[in-house]
């Protein structure tokens, strides 16, 4: 509990060092909170999409097909149907959830990287590719039924997402590895979780 309260008390402290024992309990709680909020937002955003699809299926029964059951929902849109779902609220919910996670983790990730003797700016690398992927996917989904669908954009987003996953995996590895045992440019080694420290 001390590590968790310490993390929330130091949301804006980007200096100093955090040990794995100080970082991971806090990060786990943040991930649970973030994904619950994101899941709720995505569920709220999907409801109007389902309503749009049902209406389009009623108006265009030959080109838009909706299959639903208590555990399954499927929308099949034939090419040239003239119906493209509006995914803007869906991506807005994803973006808001990602922003929440990033803002709650930014300082803690920075301190954990400091413990390894690294710059906190390394933590921004996956963020750049995440934002690029969200913006690109929203543009791509909006043009799915368009005659000028951009296949080049699809390939670029696919490559961007591969780099995002690789950079995120690399960051997680850096966060898992033990810190430097001696004092470094960011201060003395971080000890076990103690009482909250606020500068």
């Amino acid at each position: 509990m001390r590590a968790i309260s310490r993390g929330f008390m130091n949301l804006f402290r980007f200096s100093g060092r955090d040990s794995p024992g100080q970082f991971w309990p806090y990060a786990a709680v943040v991930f649970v909170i973030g994904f619950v909020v994101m899941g709720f937002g995505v569920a709220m955003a999907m409801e109007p999409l389902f309503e749009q699809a049902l209406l389009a299926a009623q108006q265009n029964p030959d080109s838009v097909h909706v299959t639903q059951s208590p555990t399954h929902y499927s929308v099949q849109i034939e090419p040239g149907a003239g119906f493209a779902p509006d995914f803007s609220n869906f991506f807005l919910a994803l973006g808001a959830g990602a922003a929440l996670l990033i803002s709650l983790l930014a300082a803690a990730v920075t301190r954990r990287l400091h413990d390894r003797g690294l710059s906190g700016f390394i933590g921004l690398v996956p963020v750049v590719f995440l934002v690029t992927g969200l913006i690109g996917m929203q543009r791509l989904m909006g043009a799915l039924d368009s005659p000028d669908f951009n296949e080049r954009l699809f390939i670029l987003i696919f490559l961007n997402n591969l780099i995002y996953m690789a950079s995120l995996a690399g960051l997680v590895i850096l966060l898992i590895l033990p810190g430097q045992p001696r004092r470094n440019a960011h201060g003395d080694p971080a000890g076990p979780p103690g009482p909250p420290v606020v500068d």
Side-chain angles (χ1 to χ4, degrees):
M1 285 299 290
R2 284 182 177 176
I4 296 167
S5 62
R6 181 184 185 278
F8 283 107
M9 293 283 289
N10 290 281
L11 274 178
F12 305 106
R13 186 170 71 87
F14 288 83
S15 61
R17 300 169 62 171
D18 274 5
S19 68
Q22 291 169 325
F23 175 78
W24 286 109
Y26 169 72
V29 168
V30 167
F31 275 112
V32 169
I33 291 170
F35 283 111
V36 166
V37 170
M38 193 181 301
F40 180 74
V42 167
M44 295 292 289
M46 290 302 288
E47 189 175 337
L49 282 175
F50 295 150
E51 291 173 5
Q52 287 176 26
L54 281 172
L55 183 61
Q58 290 168 1
Q59 295 172 347
N60 307 288
D62 296 332
S63 54
V64 180
H65 311 283
V66 175
T67 307
Q68 57 184 339
S69 71
T71 59
H72 176 76
Y73 197 97
S74 172
V75 179
Q76 186 177 16
I77 304 170
E78 302 291 334
F83 167 69
D86 180 9
F87 285 97
S88 56
N89 287 337
F90 173 80
F91 284 105
L92 182 64
L94 282 182
L100 175 66
L101 281 172
I102 291 165
S103 62
L104 291 176
L105 287 172
V109 166
T110 299
R111 293 191 304 270
R112 181 81 270 280
L113 290 170
H114 286 175
D115 195 43
R116 303 249 330 117
L118 300 169
S119 168
F121 288 110
I122 291 171
L124 289 175
V125 175
V127 174
V128 171
F129 293 106
L130 173 64
V131 171
T132 303
L134 286 173
I135 293 170
M137 281 299 293
Q138 182 175 1
R139 287 186 59 196
L140 193 66
M141 295 299 281
L144 273 180
D145 198 42
S146 169
D148 28 298
F149 178 76
N150 192 339
E151 292 177 6
R152 185 169 171 258
L153 178 61
F154 174 81
I155 293 168
L156 288 173
I157 292 170
F158 178 76
L159 293 174
N160 174 84
N161 291 346
L162 286 179
I163 296 170
Y164 163 67
M165 295 301 290
S167 64
L168 184 61
L171 177 61
V172 170
I173 290 169
L174 290 176
L175 296 174
I176 290 172
L177 292 172
Q180 294 178 327
R182 290 179 287 280
R183 181 177 178 83
N184 66 21
H186 304 286
D188 292 320
V197 178
V198 180
D199 287 345

